[in-house]
Amino acid sequence: MAKQIAALFCATAMLMGTSAMADENNHDFTFSLNGDLKESWVPTTAYTVDRNANTEAKTDDNITLYGFSADAAYRLSEDNFLSGSFLGNRPSIGISILHLTGESKAKDFYAVSGVNSVLGIDGATPNTFWAAGTWTSENDVKLSDVSLTLSGTENAKTWSFIPEFGLSFRRHDLEYKASRKGAVTGNYFEVVNGGLDTNMYGGTLGLNVLSPVSDGWRFGVRAGVTAMVTSTDMSLTQDANSALPTIPDVSVKDNDNSGFYEGSLSLSVEKTFGAVSISSEVYGNANYGLPYIDGTSQAGVATKIANDKTAYDLGGRLSLNIKF
């Protein structure tokens, strides 16, 4: 990947060195390669260490995601079937592909739990207790997104108010693990592992406001809303290695279909060098309905999928754009 990126930047330098300046209003294709980074505040997953004292080992409520994305867009000719509509004379059709990964880890020390205080992921209450030890709760996240977007006409010489309509498929994979290291023995055990697989389908409405290009500089503000249907499968295993003689080996599965809703706001700045530009963007998102693992804290109730909380993102993007 590093070689391909280096080659792309070399090609960019050659394009920037040319004397020909592309007309911002006449290009047909735009290709963008982006580096993405965002901090997400998400619902936690908890494993009950002591059900009588309501003691829980929880995952961290924030996770850093990073990765790459790529965009390609084609501007329709002036005699297209949408000419003269509210989308203007030269709307664009684009595709975006994104992949982000991240992990979080939280550690807590807990003293000896009370007698008959263990609560399994299936809600069972085996007659045992946990010795003192350090608990580690981990989340590994992979997020992929493919979007198709129809955008209105932009004009480099005037303010542009560009409506956007999109269809999106998103894949959200979460791997969860709760482990324990004994304070006295030093023995390490994986108590729970498993995760969620979520497929998301939906659409986006947005408005992108762009300033005129002045001395190669352009500024933008974008607002958007997204609504998606989610389909989630959960699979968790307790003591998968059969290393804990007093804790039953248990598997819990669940599935759920629900709704996901997101609002976003971003600010951008772009500097143009002929056919090439470099742009940066900062954004904030708030969403409701992202599925998460709801660890049980009540006897007789199994761990399940939940989607009743709000999550937040704060991120940035650095882009290399080529227009031709």
Side-chain angles (χ1 to χ4, degrees), residues 47 56 80 101 105 121 133 155 193 249:
Y47 178 80
E56 297 177 323
N80 69 84
T101 61
K105 183 180 294 187
I121 60 175
N155 191 320
N193 58 49
D249 302 354

Side-chain angles (χ1 to χ4, degrees), residues 10 43 72 147 277:
C10 288
S147 298
S277 68

Side-chain angles (χ1 to χ4, degrees), residues 70-72 94-98 145-149:
D71 310 308
I95 182 171
S96 301
I97 300 174
L98 173 143
D145 187 282
V146 178
S147 298
L148 295 174
T149 304

Side-chain angles (χ1 to χ4, degrees), residues 24-44:
E24 283 283 335
N25 291 324
N26 289 333
H27 69 271
D28 293 323
F29 293 94
T30 301
F31 174 77
S32 301
L33 181 64
N34 318 300
D36 294 85
L37 176 69
K38 74 172 180 176
E39 191 78 8
S40 297
W41 288 264
V42 296
T44 60

Side-chain angles (χ1 to χ4, degrees), residues 12 22 56 68 72 78 132 134 153 158 183 195 202 215 219 237 244 256 263 274 282 303:
T12 299
E56 297 177 323
F68 291 92
E78 292 188 2
T134 299
T153 303
T158 64
D215 294 328
F219 302 90
T237 302
L244 300 166
D256 182 72
V282 293
T303 295

Side-chain angles (χ1 to χ4, degrees), residues 103-159:
E103 61 182 18
S104 68
K105 183 180 294 187
K107 290 188 177 184
D108 295 285
F109 177 83
Y110 296 102
V112 178
S113 65
V115 176
N116 190 24
S117 60
V118 171
L119 179 62
I121 60 175
D122 59 344
T125 56
N127 186 19
T128 187
F129 63 92
W130 290 109
T134 299
W135 288 77
T136 302
S137 303
E138 301 176 60
N139 272 341
D140 290 337
V141 173
K142 295 180 181 178
L143 176 64
S144 301
D145 187 282
V146 178
S147 298
L148 295 174
T149 304
L150 175 64
S151 304
T153 303
E154 66 173 275
N155 191 320
K157 299 179 180 179
T158 64
W159 284 91

Side-chain angles (χ1 to χ4, degrees), residues 46-49 118-126 128 130 135 176-178 189-195 235-253 296 301-303:
Y47 178 80
T48 299
V49 178
V118 171
L119 179 62
I121 60 175
D122 59 344
T125 56
T128 187
W130 290 109
W135 288 77
Y176 164 69
K177 181 169 67 176
F189 300 104
E190 285 191 7
V191 181
V192 180
N193 58 49
S235 179
L236 295 177
T237 302
Q238 179 176 276
D239 191 22
N241 299 320
S242 300
L244 300 166
T246 60
I247 304 297
D249 302 354
V250 174
S251 293
V252 172
K253 297 182 183 294
T296 181
V301 177
T303 295

